[in-house]
């Protein structure tokens, strides 16, 4: 798989002596969490993992060379049981996923580091990353953070319908991969499923609502797509990658500068 993260920002390229020599109190480590799971008929199963690496890689372009921020190798396998039944979905259980994050947090702590951000690009991991950010803070005293996707970036040109109900193999993900890895996108295989219509909002929604229902992809999207990839363009993808990268960089720099309450 391709990487966009500059070699000098990859922790795994260092020797243990080089890692040991880092300013461990100040350095911010990033642990990416993503997924290997079905993304419709038109996107690769690595989509969430590619997007994680891509946004992080572009974010590093906005981070000063002297800022001590390093990316750890990603936890590519996530909790994807909502997509089980679609070939290529490789899921780990919530217990396994949390145990891996716990053990990696223990290793970060044992290596002497203090600051760790879980950077997530798969919705199925969100609740688990949130729990683990707090648990690693409680168990090891790590200064942990959680960061997701485009860090709240705005995406001009995305329709209201897609914004509300396009959340998997949708226009946004398709455009981003059309810009970054067009050879992995199959526009002749686009399918469309919307789980609701913005003109007829229902009380119960699958996500992003006070009242939700626990969904499995096969309940709501026969092809595995939730959204409409057809309007996706590489041009918008490039704009949206830039928008997300800037926000991710700003968030990482804020975490780097973050001081505990009461400390100088
Ligand atoms: Zn995805």
């Amino acid at each position: 798989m391709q990487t966009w993260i500059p070699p000098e920002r990859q922790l795994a390229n260092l020797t243990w002596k080089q890692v040991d020599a880092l300013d461990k109190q100040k350095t911010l480590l990033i642990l990416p969490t993503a997924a290997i799971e079905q993304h419709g008929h038109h996107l690769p199963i690595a989509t969430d993992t590619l997007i994680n690496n891509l946004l992080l890689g572009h974010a590093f372009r906005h981070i000063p060379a002297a800022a001590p921020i390093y990316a750890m190798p990603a936890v590519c396998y996530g909790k994807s049981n909502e997509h089980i039944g679609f070939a290529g979905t490789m899921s780990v259980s919530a217990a396994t996923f949390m145990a891996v994050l716990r053990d990696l947090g223990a290793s970060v702590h044992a290596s002497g580091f203090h600051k760790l951000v879980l950077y997530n690009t798969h919705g199925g991991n969100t609740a688990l990353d949130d729990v683990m950010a707090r648990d690693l803070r409680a168990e090891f005293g790590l200064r942990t953070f959680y960061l997701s996707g485009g860090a709240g970036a705005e995406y001009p040109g995305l329709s209201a319908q897609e914004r509300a109900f396009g959340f998997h193999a949708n226009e946004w993900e398709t455009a981003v991969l059309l810009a970054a890895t067009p050879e992995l996108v199959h526009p002749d295989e686009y399918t469309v499923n919307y789980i609701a219509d913005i003109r007829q909002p229902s009380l119960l929604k699958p996500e992003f609502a006070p009242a939700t229902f626990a969904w499995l992809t096969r309940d709501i999207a026969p092809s595995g797509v939730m959204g409409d990839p057809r309007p996706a363009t590489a041009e918008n993808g490039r704009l949206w990658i830039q928008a997300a990268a800037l926000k991710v960089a700003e968030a990482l720099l804020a975490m780097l500068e973050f001081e505990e309450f009461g400390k100088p």
Side-chain angles (χ1 to χ4, degrees):
M1 244 185 308
Q2 206 172 329
T3 183
W4 291 266
I5 299 173
E8 69 275 15
R9 293 295 188 170
Q10 298 182 34
L11 189 77
N13 285 339
L14 303 182
T15 68
W16 82 262
K17 292 296 285 179
Q18 288 171 321
V19 173
D20 201 35
L22 296 173
D23 181 340
K24 296 208 235 20
Q25 201 57 27
K26 192 150 189 267
T27 297
L28 176 67
L29 295 186
I30 305 165
L31 178 60
T33 63
I36 301 293
E37 64 182 26
Q38 76 79 18
H39 267 74
H41 300 178
H42 71 284
L43 293 181
I45 57 175
T47 295
D48 290 353
T49 301
L50 288 166
I51 288 174
N52 192 305
N53 188 292
L54 178 72
L55 297 187
L56 214 43
H58 282 72
F60 273 120
R61 297 178 183 183
H62 303 287
I63 290 175
I69 304 178
Y70 294 87
M72 295 166 63
V75 177
C76 295
Y77 297 109
K79 180 176 172 291
S80 296
N81 55 349
E82 68 272 34
H83 299 295
I84 286 292
F86 294 82
T89 296
M90 305 293 168
S91 181
V92 295
S93 69
T96 300
F97 184 82
M98 291 166 81
V100 169
L101 262 51
R102 189 264 171 205
D103 289 354
L104 291 176
S107 302
V108 165
H109 175 64
S111 295
F113 291 100
H114 183 56
K115 289 186 168 182
L116 175 70
V117 50
L118 305 177
Y119 175 54
N120 181 48
T121 49
H122 166 51
N125 296 340
T126 304
L128 307 180
D129 273 19
D130 192 43
V131 166
M132 290 315 298
R134 181 161 289 110
D135 277 11
L136 293 174
R137 170 98 191 108
E139 185 173 358
F140 301 110
L142 290 174
R143 165 36 63 206
T144 47
F145 304 92
Y146 175 68
L147 179 63
S148 78
E154 300 283 336
Y155 303 118
L158 203 54
S159 71
Q161 173 75 6
E162 191 65 8
R163 218 176 274 278
F165 300 115
F167 57 91
H168 189 77
N170 53 355
E171 181 185 350
W172 188 89
E173 288 189 331
T174 304
V176 163
L177 288 201
L178 277 175
T181 56
E183 70 282 6
L184 301 183
V185 181
H186 306 278
D188 49 337
E189 300 282 351
Y190 286 166
T191 60
V192 181
N193 304 286
Y194 271 127
I195 40 81
D197 185 333
I198 199 140
R199 292 162 303 180
Q200 297 174 303
S202 56
L203 177 64
L204 271 176
K205 293 177 185 168
E207 306 237 331
F208 313 127
T212 58
F213 60 91
W215 55 273
L216 296 173
T217 304
R218 61 176 181 262
D219 298 336
I220 56 180
S223 72
V225 171
M226 286 162 247
D228 184 354
R230 292 173 304 179
T233 65
E235 191 186 351
N236 275 342
R238 279 188 284 275
L239 289 174
W240 297 344
I241 291 168
Q242 284 315 317
L246 261 175
K247 281 288 197 184
V248 168
E250 282 175 9
L252 292 174
L253 287 170
M255 291 167 186
L256 184 70
E257 297 307 321
F258 183 87
E259 297 288 352
E260 306 297 333
F261 178 73
K263 288 193 181 169

